Amino acid sequence: GVRIVPLDVTSDRSVQDLAAEIGGKVDILINTADLPRPGGVMGPRAMVEAKAAMEVVAFGQMRLARSFGPAMQARAADGAVAWVNLLSIFGLASPPALAGYAVAHAAGIALSKALRAELGAGGIRLMTVLTGPTEDDWFQGFSAPRVTAAALADAITGGLNAGLEEIVLGDIARDLAQRLAENPKSVERDLARGQLGGAA
């Protein structure tokens, strides 16, 4: 029963065309658009990589919202309609080696909060999933345990059923979120030393 449809979240036309075709039929939109990119702030390709990540993660979310949001709001009263944004915990705790990527996800998190208010006015619930490194090929250099696809699926299903607005998923993400709440400057110093976890 799965149908694959073309979608390029960096293209206004691509998003608009798909929304015109299926927007009014979508019960749950799960935005997984991502573009992991390495690089700090001053590297030769830093701007290029950061812009590419922003186009997908932040502006991609805006394009989806502008095209799918109104169509989903029009039928929200007919049943359960929800929106899920899958974003990285690195949008809150930025490793210097992933500066551009982290900036894109920080923007995505900010947009997700604003979008929750706008969609909520039309009866659509929005849930943000803040995840640590996943099992994607790009994150293979990160220490285990990484977040599996099955864990993501279970978290999204469980969170929607529970009516949650935000989930922090994965050991690395939960550790960073807890430490950020306690001492954000300590987390910044650890990340500057290349430590995702606390000091040994």
Side-chain angles (χ1 to χ4, degrees):
V2 174
R3 180 166 71 98
I4 305 297
V5 292
L7 175 62
D8 176 4
V9 296
T10 68
S11 164
D12 289 347
R13 180 63 181 270
S14 176
V15 177
Q16 290 165 1
D17 286 351
L18 185 60
E21 180 184 349
I22 68 170
K25 306 172 187 176
V26 174
D27 293 318
I28 302 173
L29 189 150
I30 303 176
N31 173 22
T32 64
D34 198 12
L35 189 67
R37 284 292 183 267
V41 176
M42 298 187 296
R45 290 189 53 79
M47 288 289 289
V48 173
E49 301 291 11
K51 286 180 179 179
M54 284 288 290
E55 278 293 336
V56 172
V57 177
F59 299 136
Q61 182 185 158
M62 292 185 77
R63 290 184 184 96
L64 288 170
R66 291 171 57 195
S67 294
F68 279 85
M72 292 174 67
Q73 284 179 322
R75 59 178 298 275
D78 297 336
V81 178
W83 187 295
V84 179
N85 280 326
L86 181 61
L87 295 164
S88 173
I89 192 66
F90 295 147
L92 298 179
S94 172
L98 298 174
Y101 179 71
V103 165
H105 278 271
I109 291 168
L111 286 168
S112 196
K113 293 176 181 178
L115 184 58
R116 178 179 292 115
E118 291 194 38
L119 291 177
I124 300 175
R125 295 180 298 140
L126 185 145
M127 181 174 73
T128 303
V129 180
L130 297 175
T131 181
T134 61
E135 289 193 318
D136 297 56
D137 290 343
W138 196 87
F139 291 112
Q140 292 305 304
F142 286 77
S143 59
R146 289 178 294 277
V147 178
T148 66
L152 279 170
D154 289 344
I156 291 170
T157 302
L160 288 173
N161 286 334
L164 301 180
E165 290 188 345
E166 184 173 285
I167 296 173
V168 179
L169 182 62
D171 291 347
I172 290 175
R174 283 189 291 268
D175 176 66
L176 285 171
Q178 179 180 346
R179 290 164 52 218
L180 281 169
E182 296 169 354
N183 190 339
K185 293 305 293 182
S186 175
V187 175
E188 182 181 337
R189 288 190 292 269
D190 286 342
L191 292 174
R193 292 191 292 263
Q195 298 174 339
L196 278 179

